[in-house]
């Protein structure tokens, strides 16, 4: 029995009569077919999105202010943001990718480590571990004694569902409890430094 | 009615990024027009007040302008914009909570409902972008059916398009199916 076409599924979801005898005969196919179920979910999302109409307009003064940013943020007059050094970290190690035994950090972090990741940017490293129970613990390490860059830093973990923020301790440590599997971005920010882990994939099995 | 070739939102984003980085002010203005609604919808879905929404809107665009040259995959720009707006919006919400301000509803309830709203905002942006870039008469038909602020009858739509009234209904199903195929390729429903 073949899958229904987008047109046939649309007619089904919109409550329209089947347009062909063949379509009518295959309607029972919908319930037990994974590709058809996936298409139906997409169509329902499409129809729901269309029923909402366009996103609301933006007030004109906001549009104009955003359009003016290139003029007001010109390099000739650097503002406070221009003094922040920003580094994008790249992944060096992921024990989930290579089937490696995770590093032994259990005693320090309060539980066995399920997964260990290491990111690096310039002279900084971000050492992350998912520990038993779902906590994410990390440490920002500077190999050239640039500790003052991290004074008063915060760490922000941004997921699809929420963002969470925690202080970075003087030794560079930070910790998030109960981190669910998912895709995240991680930011370590101080007044002088912004260290970014743009893609932190915690969906892989540990 | 204009005939267009299909150009994906990713291709448009790449082109706009190139324009901004080469100093073309029109490219930046088009970026703001293209994605401004999405940026503002995200803090609104979280229930933030207008002042916070405006701040999130402005800081998101500032961050984009500052970081645009660091984006390795300009095709992922819409996702990057949404993530940045979400990050600033959540931080504004946390700040309000720390200040003791009353948040719009219970935290868990707010977050549960808001997440759906945020995803819906991104979906709606993707749907709208995809319709705008559809070639031929489908684009015009779907915009009239779903995005025109006037309540238009099939007869009125047929008049605007210069087609028979009886062709609007079948055309709606056919064009929605074509839109669904485009969105399937572009990842709607794949979070």
């Amino acid at each position: 029995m073949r899958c229904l076409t987008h047109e046939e599924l649309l007619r089904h979801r919109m409550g329209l009569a089947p347009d062909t005898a063949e379509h009518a005969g295959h309607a029972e196919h919908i319930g037990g077919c994974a590709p058809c179920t996936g298409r139906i979910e997409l169509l329902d999302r499409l129809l729901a999105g269309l029923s909402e109409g366009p996103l609301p307009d933006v007030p004109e003064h906001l549009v104009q202010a955003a359009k003016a940013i290139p003029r007001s943020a010109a390099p000739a007059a650097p503002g406070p943001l221009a003094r922040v050094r920003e580094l994008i970290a790249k992944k060096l190690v992921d024990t989930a990718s290579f089937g490696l035994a995770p590093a032994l950090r259990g005693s320090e972090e309060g539980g066995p480590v399920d997964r260990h990741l290491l990111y690096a940017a310039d002279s900084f490293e971000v050492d992350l571990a998912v520990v038993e129970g779902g906590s994410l613990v990390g440490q920002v390490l500077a190999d050239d004694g640039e500790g003052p860059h991290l004074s008063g830093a915060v760490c922000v973990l941004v997921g699809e569902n929420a963002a969470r923020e925690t202080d970075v301790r003087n030794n560079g440590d930070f910790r998030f409890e109960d981190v669910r599997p998912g895709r995240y971005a991680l930011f370590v920010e101080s007044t002088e430094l912004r260290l970014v882990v743009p893609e932190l994939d915690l969906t892989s099995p540990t | 009615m204009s005939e267009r070739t299909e150009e994906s939102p990713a291709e448009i984003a790449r082109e706009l990024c190139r324009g901004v980085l080469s100093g073309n002010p029109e490219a930046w203005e088009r970026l703001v027009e293209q994605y401004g609604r999405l940026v503002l919808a995200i803090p609104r879905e979280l229930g933030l007040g207008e002042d916070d929404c405006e701040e999130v809107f402005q800081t998101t665009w500032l961050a984009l302008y500052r970081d645009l040259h660091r984006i390795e995959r300009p095709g992922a720009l819409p996702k990057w914009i949404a993530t940045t707006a979400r990050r600033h919006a959540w931080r504004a919400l946390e700040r309000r909570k720390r200040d003791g301000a009353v948040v719009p509803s219970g935290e868990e309830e707010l977050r549960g409902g808001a997440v759906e709203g945020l995803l819906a905002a991104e979906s709606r942006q993707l749907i709208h972008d995809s319709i705008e870039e559809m070639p031929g008469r489908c684009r015009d038909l779907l915009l009239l059916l779903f995005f025109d602020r006037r309540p238009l009858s099939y007869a009125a739509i047929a008049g605007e398009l210069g087609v028979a009234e009886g062709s609007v209904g079948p055309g709606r199903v056919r064009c929605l199916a074509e839109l669904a195929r485009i969105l399937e390729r572009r990842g709607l429903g794949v979070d």
Side-chain angles (χ1 to χ4, degrees):
Chain A
M1 196 172 282
R2 71 168 173 84
C3 287
L4 273 68
T5 65
H6 287 86
E7 284 86 345
E8 289 167 341
L9 288 170
L10 261 171
R11 295 187 74 83
H12 172 76
R13 299 311 281 175
M14 295 165 76
L16 301 173
D19 56 350
T20 63
E22 186 188 17
H23 168 188
H26 287 77
E28 64 192 61
H29 179 73
I30 293 173
C33 169
C36 285
T37 302
R39 278 186 181 171
I40 285 173
E41 285 174 8
L42 181 142
L43 292 174
D44 285 350
R45 220 163 157 176
L46 167 60
L47 294 172
L50 288 172
S51 71
E52 296 283 335
L55 291 167
D57 287 338
V58 180
E60 189 57 25
H61 72 280
L62 286 181
V63 173
Q64 292 309 321
K67 286 182 175 178
I69 284 172
R71 296 193 289 277
S72 59
L81 288 175
R83 293 197 295 272
V84 177
R85 181 181 173 201
E86 179 165 297
L87 300 170
I88 308 295
K90 299 202 172 190
K91 186 159 67 179
L92 297 182
V93 175
D94 182 352
T95 55
S97 301
F98 301 103
L100 298 174
L104 294 174
R105 299 180 46 173
S107 59
E108 186 183 342
E109 309 300 347
V113 174
D114 288 332
R115 187 175 169 196
H116 186 193
L117 302 109
L118 184 63
Y119 290 81
D122 198 21
S123 60
F124 292 89
E125 289 185 349
V126 182
D127 189 351
L128 298 171
V130 180
V131 302
E132 191 176 56
S135 296
L136 178 70
V137 297
Q139 186 175 32
V140 185
L141 306 157
D143 66 4
D144 60 356
E146 294 196 58
H149 286 296
L150 296 171
S151 176
V154 295
C155 183
V156 185
L157 182 67
V158 182
E160 288 285 351
N161 302 10
R164 297 159 66 184
E165 183 174 310
T166 189
D167 291 334
V168 176
R169 285 182 277 180
N170 286 340
N171 64 352
D173 280 1
F174 56 87
R175 181 182 187 106
F176 293 98
E177 306 288 351
D178 300 322
V179 177
R180 294 178 183 173
R183 290 188 170 82
Y184 296 88
L186 187 100
F187 301 82
V188 177
E189 299 181 339
S190 72
T191 53
E192 298 172 51
L193 176 71
R194 187 165 182 252
L195 194 55
V196 183
V197 176
E199 292 183 3
L200 177 58
D201 184 353
L202 299 181
T203 58
S204 303
T206 58
Chain B
M1 296 294 171
S2 60
E3 290 291 325
R4 292 184 176 205
T5 56
E6 185 185 329
E7 191 180 12
S8 74
E11 288 162 350
I12 294 169
R14 266 188 227 106
E15 187 183 322
L16 291 177
C17 278
R18 273 198 298 271
V20 174
L21 292 174
S22 65
N24 178 358
E26 288 179 4
W28 175 257
E29 292 188 357
R30 198 172 154 211
L31 259 187
V32 174
E33 287 165 3
Q34 181 87 5
Y35 297 109
R37 290 182 178 87
L38 173 63
V39 172
L40 192 59
I42 285 173
R44 281 181 172 169
E45 293 284 359
L46 273 178
L48 288 169
E50 272 307 298
D51 285 350
D52 285 328
C53 288
E54 293 193 6
E55 184 188 325
V56 169
F57 184 87
Q58 194 69 359
T59 52
T60 299
W61 286 109
L62 266 171
L64 176 61
Y65 185 71
R66 189 186 59 193
D67 295 342
L68 196 65
H69 66 286
R70 298 181 195 278
I71 296 176
E72 292 181 358
R73 291 181 297 126
L77 184 65
K79 196 80 182 166
W80 189 95
I81 290 173
T83 301
T84 303
R86 195 159 46 228
R87 175 171 160 253
H88 286 294
W90 282 116
R91 292 185 77 170
L93 187 64
E94 295 294 335
R95 201 167 54 241
R96 285 283 165 243
K97 281 166 52 190
R98 278 204 302 274
D99 293 346
V102 177
V103 285
S105 60
E107 184 183 1
E108 292 306 316
E109 183 185 340
L110 171 68
R111 291 194 171 197
V115 168
E116 288 179 18
L118 299 182
L119 296 177
E122 289 183 55
S123 296
R124 286 163 69 188
Q125 176 78 38
L126 180 60
I127 290 168
H128 188 258
D129 287 351
S130 298
I131 292 174
E132 285 280 6
E133 303 312 322
M134 283 178 85
R137 190 151 284 168
C138 273
R139 169 186 174 274
D140 302 320
L141 175 60
L142 293 178
L143 288 176
L144 285 170
L145 279 166
F146 297 106
F147 292 96
D148 200 296
R149 299 198 185 279
R150 301 166 293 172
L152 294 174
S153 66
Y154 274 18
I157 290 171
E160 294 227 6
L161 294 177
V163 299
E165 184 180 343
S167 70
V168 173
R172 180 177 68 151
V173 174
R174 182 175 53 77
C175 293
L176 282 175
E178 177 57 28
L179 176 60
R181 281 188 283 271
I182 292 171
L183 290 168
E184 203 167 61
R185 290 197 295 274
R186 292 177 181 174
L188 179 69
V190 181
D191 295 322

